[in-house]
Amino acid sequence: MTQVAPLPSLDFGVSAEQVSQITDQVIADELAINDQIAQLKPEEQTYENIAQLVSSLSQFSPDAAIREASVEAETKVDQFSIEQSMRHDIYTVVQGYISKTDLSTLGAEEARMLEKMEQSFRRSGLHLEQEKREELKDLRKRLSEVCIEFNKNWARESSTVQFTKEELEGLDDDFLGGLKKNEEDGVTKYTLTMKYPDYYPVIKLCKNENTRKIYTTVYNSRNQENIVLLEQAIKLRRQAAKLLGYKSHAAYNLEVKMAKTVEAVDE
């Protein structure tokens, strides 16, 4: 029997400074490739050259400094990615190669990749006039900022609720033993977070209906500040889709999914 070497374990032991350094290096490497492609002369525009174009510590690190550094890195990478995906000089080079190439002379995979690249350029708005491209870029950057702030709020979420052992009837001692507890007026109370390992056992196993009701209410009331961010994200997505010529964000999103159209989903 063939033996396969175990995959290397993920290393989460990086510092906040290393997160920033790694991010800068990734950005520099990608920028170097993109600049090289943008400078290709017509005679240098080959499939091999064009083909070069081809989550996270912010959620899982227990160190707040690393989480913050990771959020900053995510923001930096997102902003960079938006800028690079809307580089008209790269679009001009790649589109120039595609327009002069008979895709039937390429292999199926190569032709498919170029078709997808062309579609990606169109979905990024690179076929639009410069003024509209700049407007779309601004919308996408604002959307990125809103989404990152939304996720940051979830990562920082620290709501808790406390119950007595009697109020947690149905949960075994192993579960209760893993919870923080404190004495309040001579009564021992157990602290529950809004994390899944706490929430789901209580909702599933606790016999006290009132406990489940209180916990569910608190759980569903988290991150109220995200409501405004969600509304902003919906508005920005709608504006971007309209600018690209789609009826809605759903139409834009479904174009590259199996369903293809909103009408197909509604059937």
Side-chain angles (χ1 to χ4, degrees), residues 10 23 32 36 51 69 92 96 99 110 127 135 140 146-147 161 174 196 204 223 225 229 254 260:
L10 294 176
T23 301
Q36 183 179 0
T92 301
S99 63
E110 288 83 358
H127 61 295
E135 183 180 353
R140 292 180 63 189
V146 168
C147 291
V161 63
D174 285 341
Y196 292 158
K204 184 176 181 180
N223 295 118
E225 64 273 25
L229 295 175
L254 286 169
K260 300 301 181 187

Side-chain angles (χ1 to χ4, degrees), residues 23-39 52-53 77 79-85 87 89-90:
T23 301
D24 290 342
Q25 186 60 55
V26 169
I27 288 176
D29 290 345
E30 183 174 339
L31 182 60
I33 293 175
N34 290 349
D35 286 345
Q36 183 179 0
I37 292 173
Q39 294 169 13
Q52 294 183 77
L53 279 174
V77 170
Q79 297 294 311
F80 171 77
S81 297
I82 291 170
E83 286 283 353
Q84 295 303 300
S85 69
R87 284 184 58 168
D89 53 352
I90 294 178

Side-chain angles (χ1 to χ4, degrees), residues 15 26-27 65 74 157 197 214 225 230:
S15 66
V26 169
I27 288 176
E74 186 177 356
E157 206 285 323
I214 292 173
E225 64 273 25
L230 181 59

Side-chain angles (χ1 to χ4, degrees), residues 188-231:
T188 300
K189 291 194 174 183
Y190 295 85
T191 300
L192 294 162
T193 70
M194 300 300 118
K195 307 301 182 185
Y196 292 158
D198 287 357
Y199 179 72
Y200 280 106
V202 174
I203 296 305
K204 184 176 181 180
L205 301 174
C206 184
K207 297 180 179 180
N208 190 312
E209 180 181 355
N210 192 53
T211 296
R212 298 197 306 273
K213 181 178 180 180
I214 292 173
Y215 200 1
T216 299
T217 300
V218 175
Y219 183 84
N220 290 331
S221 300
R222 297 167 296 161
N223 295 118
Q224 291 293 309
E225 64 273 25
N226 273 356
I227 294 176
V228 174
L229 295 175
L230 181 59
E231 291 172 345

Side-chain angles (χ1 to χ4, degrees), residues 19-65:
V19 170
S20 179
Q21 292 172 348
I22 293 170
T23 301
D24 290 342
Q25 186 60 55
V26 169
I27 288 176
D29 290 345
E30 183 174 339
L31 182 60
I33 293 175
N34 290 349
D35 286 345
Q36 183 179 0
I37 292 173
Q39 294 169 13
L40 290 175
K41 298 176 182 178
E43 62 272 17
E44 298 172 329
Q45 295 172 9
T46 64
Y47 174 81
E48 288 73 19
N49 287 335
I50 298 298
Q52 294 183 77
L53 279 174
V54 173
S55 223
S56 86
L57 288 170
S58 64
Q59 298 292 324
F60 300 111
S61 176
D63 189 315

